[in-house]
Amino acid sequence: MGTSTKKNMSSGSGSSSYFLPIPEGHWLRRYSPPAPDPGAETPLEKTLADLRFRARKVLERGLPSVRSEAFRYTNLQFLLSEEFTPDRRQVTREEIEEELFRDLPVKEGEHRLVFVNGRFLSELSTGFVSESGLEILRIGGGHGTEARREEEGSKIAEYIGRTTLADFSSIAAWNTAHLHDGVAVFVQRGKKISEPIRIRHFIRGEGNRKIVSFPRLLVVAEEGAEVFVAETYAGDSGRTLTIPMTELIVGRAARVEYCRVVREGGEGVHLSAQEALLEEDAVLRSHAFHFGGALARNDVRAVLNGENVEVTLNGLSLLSGTEHLDNHTVLEHRRPHGRSREIFKSVLADHARNVFRGLIHVWKEAQKTDAVQSNRNILLSPTARVESRPQLEIYADDVKCTHGATVGRLEEEALFYCRSRGIPLESARVLLTQAFAADLVEEVAVKEYREALAEAVRARLERMLGREEPR
Amino acid sequence: MILEIRNLHAGIEGTEILKGIDLTVKAGEVHAIMGPNGSGKSTLAGVLAGREEYEVTEGEVLFRGENLLEMSPEERAAAGVFLAFQYPVEIPGVNSAYFLRTGLNSIRKSRGEEELDALDFLKLAREKLKLVQMDEAFLKRSVNEGFSGGEKKRHEIFQMAVLDPVLGILDETDSGLDIDALRIVAAGVNSLRRADNAFLVVTHYQRLLNHIIPDVVHVLLDGRIVQSGGKELALQLEAEGYDRIKQAATV
């Protein structure tokens, strides 16, 4: 009894400083549909209504302040004073076509779904798919007959929100509170899908209006299934806010490769949640490339929920100007014989700032866990900053967990070596930073994407380094 | 005249290492710079290649009549200076072919020559790899990463062959080589000798000079050239060690 009173008191008094209240009527709490749907009838409607209800409860708690440990380095207070609204316009193909395929080219045979400010653009998409083996469905209402829609809805209802388990992270809650549209990918038992599935988001402001969107992606690979999914976010001009959530559900002995490329506009804010849940013998390979945006925060979690699971969690970020990126990663080893490899690298120019927190949480049952974490950073300017916070929480006694973090400049000796072979200083710096990034690009399985990413890395590094004062 | 060094003084962080070097290298010549550890051999090689940690306090260096000391390392490479490193640097993530092609094309571009495409470069590289008996597979490997000591040194000579310098500087290229690798390296260098280029071979030991026969041997001691002579001087040093010269120099 005494304990519970104490607990209530501490959480009660603490909440006021760790969270900033979000007033009722604030855009973050202006919901559509406004209230838990009393008219929800289908299983999907019921599930979504329930999820939204729970998520909205989290928002009532408020916005995490910099006093909360998780947001210590990333101040989100501007969300309270700035007004963001969803885009209601219908964008046409002509407006965006040129920009659309800049980061990743079109690959023959790929499945492609294009969204503009969170709104589906069918003209540039290859369309939703409803075949045996592979289904690519729209969360916010499908197509075909009513019976078919209801069947698809039930399937989505079965899985959506599953990765959040008992708790919502703040960002997951914000996305879920506004959840009404998105993409769901289902790969049937034993099916190996060779064509990549590509979800392409295009984000841009609309004059003085600040635009917010809440994209959602659900990927379900059933037992023994294999699939490659790429999600790209390309920003343009104007103040924008993107709050996406991606759920990856990897069944027994299934294999999912997920590649995400974020290049927000100069005023773009990106707050994402990526949650993965893996069953026995499953494999997840996740690659995150961050090529810009005013402020970004990624909450990434993988739960190794079965024995003998293998997770690769890679991240590469190239930051310049006053860009700020905060990667918050959690690897939750719950069962024995799990292997995780986490490599996050960043290259920072100017006044850029990179925050990395990597928690490896090994449950008591998760014996023989083998976890390796590495965070490496290269500073191209004395005013760039890095915060690196590896965290191990280990409750099993027979595990192998290593972590390492480095922050440094380009090696003078390597630069001199390049220059002595005739490579000019600026090119030598691009070459060496490119080399630093190369292994993470190399790990992407699709050749066309890998080549495009290598080129995107090179181009961005050239811009970042070209601006610098020669020494 | 390829290289003229006049009264060169240089040091690092206020400590003088080279205390007045005079050296003239003509086209077609191979000069050996010998000396004990700490005599300033590598400093001389580094100053000539443009290592920025060294400060030149006095004197001048002319490379084909141009002021070498005013040039950046990449400008020196473009002008035709090549340094084979004592400790070649590993660059994970950059393959040897890409690295060297970037260097070669930067040099060609600065000379107003057409750049080589991947195919033409490969042709050239294949031909030069043969000189040092290296397999083509090395082109695809990250620069020096996981190379043995001998492979690194052969890789240096291979790069020199591709860039075809006017002045090749070999900084302790023989260190850490077994006799077979030493022979291969020396044969590679010998095949590059021509009437219009020159080599500066910096070494502690005489054994490399059995294979690369120098025209002139200089003995460097405490930052000064204390003795110069023909190839027999190297043999004499090998037999007597540096001590006798040290004594002679201090008397």
Side-chain angles (χ1 to χ4, degrees), chain A residues 6-259:
Chain A
K6 232 179 183 170
K7 208 169 162 188
N8 286 341
M9 274 179 63
S10 71
S11 73
S13 63
S15 65
S16 59
S17 52
Y18 296 126
F19 293 93
L20 306 165
I22 305 171
E24 237 177 292
H26 181 271
W27 62 268
L28 251 177
R29 293 180 64 185
R30 220 174 289 145
Y31 304 119
S32 148
D37 260 322
E41 276 173 8
T42 67
L44 179 59
E45 282 168 3
K46 282 186 188 133
T47 302
L48 293 183
D50 174 57
L51 276 173
R52 285 192 289 254
F53 177 77
R54 283 168 50 211
R56 289 168 190 180
K57 282 278 177 214
V58 176
L59 269 109
E60 284 171 24
R61 197 170 64 191
L63 187 83
S65 76
V66 287
R67 295 197 56 182
S68 82
E69 182 57 30
F71 284 86
R72 199 171 145 186
Y73 299 104
T74 300
N75 191 340
L76 297 178
Q77 206 170 342
F78 66 90
L79 294 177
L80 293 176
S81 53
E82 284 187 47
E83 174 85 11
F84 290 90
T85 49
D87 189 3
R88 302 271 174 237
R89 250 169 10 120
Q90 194 58 59
V91 179
T92 64
R93 170 194 185 125
E94 289 72 28
E95 285 180 71
I96 59 157
E97 196 163 14
E98 194 181 315
E99 280 289 310
L100 200 56
F101 301 107
R102 236 170 68 177
D103 285 325
L104 292 185
V106 174
K107 185 186 181 308
E108 189 91 25
E110 70 180 7
H111 295 281
R112 184 173 60 251
L113 299 155
V114 176
F115 288 79
V116 180
N117 288 344
R119 296 168 66 87
F120 180 60
L121 188 65
S122 61
E123 295 167 273
L124 287 169
S125 304
T126 54
F128 291 93
V129 175
S130 186
E131 298 161 359
S132 70
L134 175 67
E135 286 172 287
I136 305 175
L137 310 175
R138 189 161 175 189
I139 294 170
H143 47 285
T145 63
E146 199 171 315
R148 181 83 196 117
R149 269 208 304 278
E150 191 153 335
E151 197 188 316
E152 292 175 0
S154 304
K155 205 160 181 182
I156 296 170
E158 192 186 335
Y159 289 99
I160 195 152
R162 188 182 278 196
T163 60
T164 48
L165 308 168
D167 54 320
F168 278 105
S169 72
S170 293
I171 294 169
W174 301 341
N175 175 283
T176 305
H178 294 268
L179 169 58
H180 52 83
D181 200 354
V183 177
V185 176
F186 292 92
V187 186
Q188 214 180 53
R189 194 187 162 106
K191 285 281 174 187
K192 296 181 177 26
I193 307 300
S194 52
E195 302 82 19
I197 295 162
R198 166 103 182 272
I199 293 127
R200 183 70 162 96
H201 290 277
F202 187 73
I203 300 143
R204 74 151 159 216
E206 235 189 88
N208 291 329
R209 266 189 62 207
K210 299 174 178 180
I211 299 293
V212 61
S213 57
F214 301 94
R216 181 86 171 206
L217 172 64
L218 168 67
V219 177
V220 180
E222 292 180 3
E223 183 172 343
E226 285 184 18
V227 68
F228 182 105
V229 181
E231 234 186 332
T232 55
Y233 290 86
D236 195 5
S237 57
R239 182 72 161 168
T240 57
L241 171 61
T242 319
I243 307 184
M245 176 163 180
T246 297
E247 291 187 86
L248 308 169
I249 297 173
V250 192
R252 270 191 68 174
R255 181 188 170 95
V256 169
E257 179 152 353
Y258 171 68
C259 178

Side-chain angles (χ1 to χ4, degrees), chain A residues 340-357:
Chain A
S340 62
R341 293 287 176 271
E342 181 179 21
I343 303 174
F344 272 72
K345 290 186 177 183
S346 77
V347 180
L348 295 95
D350 309 323
H351 290 81
R353 191 175 195 200
N354 182 51
V355 181
F356 171 79
R357 191 187 88 138

Side-chain angles (χ1 to χ4, degrees), chain A residues 1 92 116 215 317 402:
Chain A
M1 187 67 196
T92 64
V116 180
S317 37
T402 62

Side-chain angles (χ1 to χ4, degrees), chain B:
Chain B
M1 202 71 72
I2 286 183
L3 184 70
E4 288 174 85
I5 303 176
R6 293 185 194 138
N7 190 32
L8 180 66
H9 289 253
I12 192 163
E13 288 164 1
T15 306
E16 188 168 63
I17 301 171
L18 300 182
K19 301 170 180 171
I21 302 271
D22 291 282
L23 180 67
T24 301
V25 180
K26 295 196 195 87
E29 291 181 344
V30 172
H31 287 235
I33 308 276
M34 298 185 70
N37 291 332
S39 57
K41 298 188 304 286
S42 282
T43 301
L44 178 60
V47 167
L48 293 178
R51 275 193 187 278
E52 284 169 346
E53 58 265 38
Y54 297 118
E55 195 195 345
V56 174
T57 48
E58 218 183 316
E60 61 177 350
V61 179
L62 297 180
F63 178 69
R64 301 168 104 186
E66 306 263 341
N67 184 348
L68 187 70
L69 300 177
E70 271 183 356
M71 301 181 196
S72 67
E74 54 269 37
E75 285 166 348
R76 295 177 200 211
V81 175
F82 181 93
L83 173 67
F85 279 49
Q86 181 177 8
Y87 304 109
V89 182
E90 295 187 8
I91 309 181
V94 182
N95 72 49
S96 168
Y98 185 79
F99 175 71
L100 194 53
R101 186 156 74 91
T102 306
L104 178 65
N105 279 337
S106 302
I107 290 173
R108 291 179 70 99
K109 204 169 146 191
S110 74
R111 290 175 182 165
E113 296 166 8
E114 207 168 309
E115 296 182 30
L116 290 191
D117 64 23
L119 213 63
D120 287 337
F121 175 80
L122 190 62
K123 248 191 250 168
L124 174 71
R126 274 184 184 140
E127 183 194 314
K128 304 299 182 189
L129 279 167
K130 282 185 201 144
L131 296 180
V132 285
Q133 301 180 24
M134 282 180 99
D135 193 271
E136 201 179 314
F138 279 96
L139 294 176
K140 288 193 178 151
R141 288 176 58 180
S142 285
V143 175
N144 292 320
E145 194 186 30
F147 287 23
S148 71
E151 285 165 349
K152 282 182 182 169
K153 295 300 173 78
R154 277 150 68 192
H155 188 239
E156 291 293 289
I157 302 306
F158 159 66
Q159 294 178 57
M160 183 163 79
V162 170
L163 298 182
D164 190 21
V166 176
L167 175 67
I169 303 165
L170 278 60
D171 187 8
E172 308 260 7
T173 298
D174 51 336
S175 68
L177 289 190
D178 62 33
I179 188 66
D180 292 330
L182 189 78
R183 279 204 187 103
I184 293 168
V185 161
V189 174
N190 286 331
S191 71
L192 300 176
R193 291 177 72 163
R194 288 196 312 258
D196 62 348
N197 63 13
F199 294 88
L200 207 55
V201 181
V202 173
T203 179
H204 186 101
Y205 301 105
Q206 174 269 344
R207 60 176 196 154
L208 180 64
L209 304 178
N210 286 336
H211 304 278
I212 304 173
I213 313 287
D215 299 293
V216 189
V217 176
H218 307 275
V219 182
L220 193 62
L221 210 59
D222 192 27
R224 293 185 185 87
I225 290 177
V226 295
Q227 200 175 347
S228 299
K231 59 179 188 239
E232 1 27 273
L233 182 55
L235 292 166
Q236 186 192 329
L237 281 172
E238 183 73 5
E240 298 175 358
Y242 287 107
D243 286 345
R244 204 195 56 79
I245 286 197
K246 270 187 202 167
Q247 283 163 12
T250 49
V251 170

